[in-house]
Amino acid sequence: MIHFLYEERIKKTFWFVNGKEVFSLIQVDDRLINGIPVLEVVSSSIAEEMLPTFVFFHGVTSAREHNLHVAYHAANQGYRVILPDALAHGVRETETLTNEYIGKHFWRIVLTSIAELKQLRAVYIDEGRSKEDHWLVGGTSMGAITTLGALTQYKWISAAASFMGSPSYVDFANGLLNSIGRENIGIAQKEIDAMLQKLDGYDLTRHPEKQEDRPLFFWHGSNDQVVPIQYAKTYHTSHPEHTVWIEEADTGHKVSRTGLMAFLQWNQQVLPI
């Protein structure tokens, strides 16, 4: 396990104990858990305690370290943050992530991350580093799609956050197939049909009851050309009871600082530590 600290000008956090300002550090540990490379981000002053846990998944062609800014803020709130590398991404990348490769393997990557989430939770609970009843899951783009699918599978997820994601697996998959061209993807129609049938079980729009009363945060740019906004927006409109919707005008497929700050404020309200 590799352990390091942020440089001083960005590592400073402050805790107030009996009104006195106390200096603390944010530490980042590079871990390999059941073959899954993760960065674990936590305040060094509470690193050995059993903590609420936040798993944040990166987007397609991205990597775990690209979300350290998100982890930094969440660690300041008192979370143990886990940033995994998805299959074929980051240190797990074995070949160039071309559009052809992504088109062919996108859903295998997503479903693998959902399965690995369960493994990560089991290890952290077994180590006594994570509380069983306080798990926040979130992500951007592909990571948000992963998050929304995980919500249909695991009742132990306390709350979820989607930045530019789609809760509609089947419709989004069909949209991708149509944009790429089914004849160009290199997968037989029989395999495509089997995959679509499998994705139905992870599709929150087809199984909205699986959200139950768990808080769900959506952020989406109105001009997103990568993950169309209508999938998430339609779900929120149909199920507004436990969802928060933030749509940022004239914004594409990139999370703004305004969106991140809104999430951090929401998180403190729905899952106070």
Side-chain angles (χ1 to χ4, degrees), residues 168-218:
S168 179
Y169 272 40
V170 175
D171 288 347
F172 183 63
N174 277 315
L176 287 177
L177 288 168
N178 292 335
S179 65
I180 296 171
R182 293 171 187 258
E183 68 283 357
N184 299 323
I185 201 168
I187 303 176
Q189 186 60 48
K190 185 177 180 180
E191 294 180 50
I192 292 174
D193 293 341
M195 177 57 74
L196 290 172
Q197 185 176 6
K198 186 174 184 178
L199 292 180
D200 181 276
Y202 295 83
D203 192 316
L204 190 60
T205 63
R206 296 182 177 221
H207 306 281
E209 73 282 356
K210 291 188 175 182
Q211 182 186 343
E212 299 178 335
D213 60 351
R214 291 176 292 179
L216 177 54
F217 175 94
F218 284 107

Side-chain angles (χ1 to χ4, degrees), residues 87-207:
L87 185 69
H89 287 70
V91 297
R92 303 170 84 174
E93 184 175 341
T94 56
E95 59 181 284
T96 304
L97 293 174
T98 62
N99 289 337
E100 180 182 0
Y101 182 93
I102 294 300
K104 191 172 183 178
H105 298 285
F106 180 83
W107 293 108
R108 181 168 69 92
I109 295 168
V110 168
L111 298 185
T112 297
S113 291
I114 293 174
E116 290 178 345
L117 174 60
K118 183 179 180 180
Q119 297 179 45
L120 292 173
R121 180 177 185 267
V123 169
Y124 273 89
I125 289 176
D126 185 62
E127 290 177 345
R129 300 168 72 80
S130 294
K131 294 181 177 180
E132 292 191 41
D133 60 351
H134 197 139
W135 280 75
L136 172 65
V137 180
T140 57
S141 193
M142 180 181 73
I145 293 169
T146 300
T147 296
L148 293 165
L151 198 62
T152 69
Q153 304 300 303
Y154 305 131
K155 291 187 175 184
W156 45 259
I157 295 176
S158 308
S162 167
F163 293 91
M164 310 175 300
S166 169
S168 179
Y169 272 40
V170 175
D171 288 347
F172 183 63
N174 277 315
L176 287 177
L177 288 168
N178 292 335
S179 65
I180 296 171
R182 293 171 187 258
E183 68 283 357
N184 299 323
I185 201 168
I187 303 176
Q189 186 60 48
K190 185 177 180 180
E191 294 180 50
I192 292 174
D193 293 341
M195 177 57 74
L196 290 172
Q197 185 176 6
K198 186 174 184 178
L199 292 180
D200 181 276
Y202 295 83
D203 192 316
L204 190 60
T205 63
R206 296 182 177 221
H207 306 281

Side-chain angles (χ1 to χ4, degrees), residues 2 4 33 58 84-85 88 104 144 150 152 169 210 213 236 263:
I2 301 172
F4 59 95
I33 300 175
H58 63 74
D85 261 338
K104 191 172 183 178
T152 69
Y169 272 40
K210 291 188 175 182
D213 60 351
H236 165 70
F263 157 72

